[in-house]
Amino acid sequence: MTSLSSAVALPSSCRARPASGSRRARLLVTRAAASSPKLQNGRRLRVAVVGGGPAGGAAAEALAKGGVETVLIERKMDNCKPCGGAIPLCMVSEFDLPLDLVDRKVRKMKMISPSNVAVDIGRTLAPHEYIGMVRREVLDAYLRSRAQSAGAEVVNGLFLRYEAPKEPNGSYVVHYNHYDSSNGKVGGEKRSFEVDAIVGADGANSRVAKDMGAGDYEYAIAFQERVKIPDDKMVYYEERAEMYVGDDVSPDFYGWVFPKCDHVAVGTGTVTHKADIKKFQAATRLRAKDKIEGGKIIRVEAHPIPEHPRPKRVAGRVTLVGDAAGYVTKCSGEGIYFAAKSGRMCAEAIVAGSANGTRMVEESDLRKYLAEFDRLYWPTYKVLDILQKVFYRSNSAREAFVEMCADDYVQKMTFDSYLYKRVVPGNPLDDIKLAVNTIGSLVRATALRREMEKVTL
């Protein structure tokens, strides 16, 4: 998921480039640690990637291209994660995604306050700019197939556990249930294999994280319904997405209506009131009633979403990426880009540390990926955490937030930061004006809240 509430200058990591039908080769630096032993008998480093979402698919592809023997294990090949499905423009070019993966190009975002004040966002976008809307089952399958084409082995199975090596540079043993419809075993066949390293990309409920003692984290519950609405109503959502804020739709998040290929995704999420998620979902449907009336629910989805990175993300030659590591931003709920990016960065660190699969990797190689990822994105996570605490704490604060979103400068800074994942240089005078307007909005919101409390009393 994502939202325009990520109105913050983000660290630079990519630039928008014209999409290309051919995939560009990535040049990987291959600097192995001096103490890293060379693998014997001509064998290649072997890595298990557990989980076949954006993080796992991107990791497996980069590993296979870098000369590492790669096995990707995915439990459900047609998994439909309840995800808003928004991706930044830079992801299309950076990950060489074909444009037919993008169901809708959102150029208009409507923010709706608790009192149903609506603000249209998108006036500052250039003609070629958009937020891409994808279906996870389509994107994930594409990334897995690309990893397979690069040389990775893709296995349909359920990861169970791993055994750590008993000696330095020993092998990890991966245990899993192998699914094969031809053998007639409904529960799968228990199998195991040895690897040199493990990349846990198995989502918020990561079994790899549990095995490595990564620690717990707070999580949100995302609930989403895919709704097939009449064609005449679908026209409204052709290039438009909606976000609803208010205690009725979520006490600490937002409700959304995001367009897909031939339907819309209507959903909400919460950390603090998980038991009330269906009540919040009903409120989201009610707020969007006029625009989705006559629609038919074709799929219902629910899934946990991490709220912050795990306390531990690497142990020995095992590491975590994507949701398993906790890489979902507060306030906006964005996770797809950061999942794919972390998967690729982790894989490139392994390729470099192993000299293209010819040497054993060490924990220090995996920690290089963590250090670089944190350097690039940790400020983003912290700032969005602060924004969520400031603007999602009450209905009056949400009214102030929506009011701020009407400002063209806020819109431009927001879209530039989100679409390109780069530091956006602001105009100092406009920055001062924005600060003053923000303070003014919060003061008005506080005054409104106090007046409402008097009426309530």
Side-chain angles (χ1 to χ4, degrees), residues 53-56 58 321-323 327 335-344 373 381:
V321 295
D323 281 15
Y327 296 150
I336 296 178
Y337 174 81
F338 294 114
K341 186 68 174 179
S342 64
R344 175 178 280 180
F373 187 89
Y381 286 86

Side-chain angles (χ1 to χ4, degrees), residues 15 28 36 49 92 107 148 216 229 242 265 367 414 418 436:
R15 297 291 186 271
L28 302 182
S36 177
V49 178
V92 176
R107 295 183 170 92
Q148 191 169 32
D216 295 327
I229 61 176
E242 291 184 320
R367 290 198 176 279
T414 297
Y418 174 74
V436 172

